[in-house]
Amino acid sequence: MLGEVTYRSPVRSPVRKPRRCYSASPLRGKQELYCASPVRELRSLCKERGLKVSGVKDEVIERLVYDDEVLHHTDAADRAVEAATQKISSFRRNICILASIIVAVVFNPFILDRIEHSDSMGASPNLLGRASRLMRRKLSNMRPNLHIGKQQQQHRGKVISARVTGKDLAEAYQSIKSEYETLALAKNAKWKVLSTHTDGSQVSIMKHKTDPSCPYVRMTSIMPAPVGEVWDFLSLDNWPKTMPKMDPFYEGLTVISDYKHKGIEMRLARKRLKRIVAFGKRDFTFVSVSDHPRSDGAWVSGTVSVVTDEMPRKKGYTRAFQDSIAFYEPLKDEAGNPSTKLTIVFRIDLNDSSDGGNGGFIPMWMYVKTVGSTGMLSVQNMKKQLLLMRAEQDNAKCELNWVDKLINSSKCDG
């Protein structure tokens, strides 16, 4: 009908189905938190993460949930890789420990009695127990003279009475010195060169029939300092400063007492070493000797391991043994500056191989294989430290006064 007004109901926008704000996932708690949060806070969170900010709340939540899932799976992958790496490292460690046990047992079968109940090596007790039982079965099938029990052991160190005297220490040193003169310092001694350096430094080794398990080692080098400075560098008083530069395993030194006998000065001391790779700490009880100079003017020093009730074995340390003879020959370099030809001959046993000792389990072949490189490294470090000490002394002279600056002008100008 004309003029009739027709009313139409307003078009309603479709009702959006409410989105389910969470699912059965490990991140359900976060999804519920997003649904309960205002949209402006969710957009701020997107902005912090570098995500798109625009859109309705459901879209913003979807972005945040997707980002959370990516982070969650990445973290889970990282954790899985880390766990696998730890498992591989643990496996390798156990293999290395098992190999060490096998090598050690070849030299010291009596340790099987101890490793079955030990967990100090970082491996599982089950692994150690299985290794020890396996080695027992293998050793039982070997030749009869290789058996579980106490083996024939070498004598190490000079036995001194409980009441230590200078005479006893001097006699122990003279005994070792005579052995060196007969075996190591003889003209017909057959040395095998292990390592050399362009500066003429050399490390050699000599095995002898009297004790094949403990060879002699000789280090020779020209030191860029006069005899007195080289002597002081190696004196016990300077060990806390100088020895860590030469020996990375050096832990400390304790001087027990000083002695004198017929012009020979002696110091009774105990040196401690840190753990040597997978092996335990070591200590040495020895007498350091300042001997009379040789007829050609060379200074002489030495060390002798001693066994005395005054210095019993310490818990946590394996008693090692070492003796040595050192010669300091005065020389001059091409520029006329004083230098020193240093020769050190020594023997060392890092295991407690004496009667009543508790082993130590470091194979001597390992020591023989590495003494060439480690000995040369010690020599080169000593040269470097002597040069640094000389530079410090020169700098100190330059800072005294103007008179000294004039006297030492050539050194102070640089």
Side-chain angles (χ1 to χ4, degrees):
M1 181 183 294
L2 186 61
E4 184 177 354
V5 179
T6 305
Y7 293 95
R8 296 181 180 178
S9 60
V11 178
R12 296 182 179 180
S13 58
V15 179
R16 184 183 295 272
K17 287 184 69 175
R19 180 180 182 276
R20 188 176 68 168
C21 285
Y22 53 85
S23 61
S25 72
L27 303 174
R28 176 174 175 175
K30 282 192 174 183
Q31 295 178 29
E32 293 178 347
L33 180 62
Y34 293 152
C35 290
S37 301
V39 67
R40 63 178 181 275
E41 294 182 3
L42 299 178
R43 288 172 178 169
S44 298
L45 190 58
C46 286
K47 187 176 181 180
E48 292 176 2
R49 299 188 185 184
L51 305 176
K52 184 178 178 181
V53 178
S54 61
V56 296
K57 184 174 183 179
D58 288 348
E59 294 174 347
V60 174
I61 291 176
E62 286 180 359
R63 291 191 204 109
L64 291 173
V65 170
Y66 178 77
D67 189 59
D68 288 338
E69 289 177 350
V70 171
L71 292 176
H72 173 76
H73 290 303
T74 302
D75 291 343
D78 290 342
R79 288 193 297 269
V81 171
E82 183 179 357
T85 303
Q86 290 178 353
K87 187 174 182 179
I88 294 173
S89 299
S90 177
F91 175 76
R92 288 178 177 173
R93 185 182 69 248
N94 290 339
I95 290 297
C96 291
I97 292 171
L98 182 58
S100 299
I101 293 172
I102 294 172
V103 170
V105 167
V106 172
F107 292 89
N108 296 278
F110 61 89
I111 69 169
L112 293 179
D113 292 325
R114 309 179 66 182
I115 64 176
E116 289 187 12
H117 306 289
S118 172
D119 58 355
S120 60
M121 300 177 67
S124 63
N126 291 336
L127 174 67
L128 294 175
R130 290 196 301 271
S132 63
R133 290 191 293 271
L134 175 63
M135 290 307 302
R136 284 185 186 278
R137 288 196 296 270
K138 294 296 183 182
L139 288 171
S140 63
N141 296 327
M142 296 175 68
R143 60 186 184 274
N145 60 347
L146 181 58
H147 60 278
I148 304 301
K150 188 174 181 179
Q151 294 182 318
Q152 183 179 1
Q153 297 175 321
Q154 297 291 339
H155 178 72
R156 293 287 183 267
K158 295 297 180 180
V159 179
I160 305 297
S161 62
R163 185 175 178 273
V164 180
T165 65
K167 181 181 178 181
D168 293 338
L169 297 178
E171 290 178 353
Y173 167 69
Q174 293 297 342
S175 175
I176 289 294
K177 185 178 179 181
S178 297
E179 292 181 18
Y180 272 70
E181 290 174 348
T182 303
L183 297 174
L185 305 178
K187 292 182 179 180
N188 59 349
K190 297 180 180 180
W191 291 92
K192 178 183 177 182
V193 177
L194 296 178
S195 61
T196 58
H197 195 272
T198 54
D199 61 6
S201 301
Q202 190 178 88
V203 179
S204 307
I205 192 170
M206 187 192 74
K207 298 182 179 180
H208 52 99
K209 295 180 180 179
T210 57
D211 190 353
S213 65
C214 193
Y216 286 98
V217 177
R218 182 182 65 190
M219 301 189 302
T220 58
S221 183
I222 306 299
M223 294 295 165
V227 170
E229 292 184 11
V230 179
W231 181 278
D232 291 338
F233 184 92
L234 294 176
S235 68
L236 297 189
D237 292 333
N238 291 322
W239 271 24
K241 180 181 178 181
T242 61
M243 195 54 62
K245 309 293 184 182
M246 298 178 61
D247 186 355
F249 300 110
Y250 175 80
E251 183 180 80
L253 176 75
T254 303
V255 176
I256 308 300
S257 185
D258 296 336
Y259 300 88
K260 284 186 178 181
H261 183 74
K262 294 183 178 181
I264 299 179
E265 298 180 357
M266 297 162 288
R267 308 189 77 179
L268 191 62
R270 174 175 175 258
K271 180 177 76 170
R272 305 183 305 279
L273 298 182
K274 302 174 184 176
R275 292 182 61 88
I276 303 175
V277 193
F279 303 97
K281 295 183 177 182
R282 262 66 179 161
D283 70 346
F284 301 79
T285 54
F286 66 99
V287 55
S288 176
V289 182
S290 299
D291 200 355
H292 299 293
R294 276 190 333 199
S295 58
D296 60 356
W299 295 14
V300 183
S301 68
T303 61
V304 181
S305 287
V306 294
V307 180
T308 174
D309 292 338
E310 186 173 333
M311 294 189 293
R313 290 174 172 83
K314 298 290 185 179
K315 184 178 180 180
Y317 290 86
T318 297
R319 180 61 49 87
F321 299 88
Q322 175 182 341
D323 46 54
S324 66
I325 299 287
F327 302 100
Y328 308 72
E329 302 177 47
L331 299 175
K332 287 189 177 181
D333 59 18
E334 297 178 354
N337 298 318
S339 59
T340 303
K341 180 182 179 182
L342 177 64
T343 303
I344 302 176
V345 184
F346 63 91
R347 295 182 301 181
I348 187 170
D349 186 354
L350 294 172
N351 298 320
D352 195 349
S353 304
S354 63
D355 292 337
N358 58 359
F361 322 134
I362 296 183
M364 283 305 296
W365 63 262
M366 183 185 300
Y367 163 73
V368 172
K369 288 291 186 182
T370 58
V371 69
S373 57
T374 56
M376 183 59 68
L377 181 62
S378 297
V379 168
Q380 296 303 319
N381 286 341
M382 182 177 176
K383 290 183 119 179
K384 180 180 178 181
Q385 293 304 315
L386 285 169
L387 290 172
L388 290 175
M389 290 170 60
R390 176 60 62 86
E392 291 176 359
Q393 292 174 1
D394 292 341
N395 292 334
K397 290 180 180 179
C398 293
E399 296 174 356
L400 289 177
N401 52 51
W402 65 274
V403 176
D404 294 293
K405 289 183 180 181
L406 290 176
I407 297 174
N408 299 282
S409 59
S410 61
K411 297 179 180 179
C412 298
D413 292 341

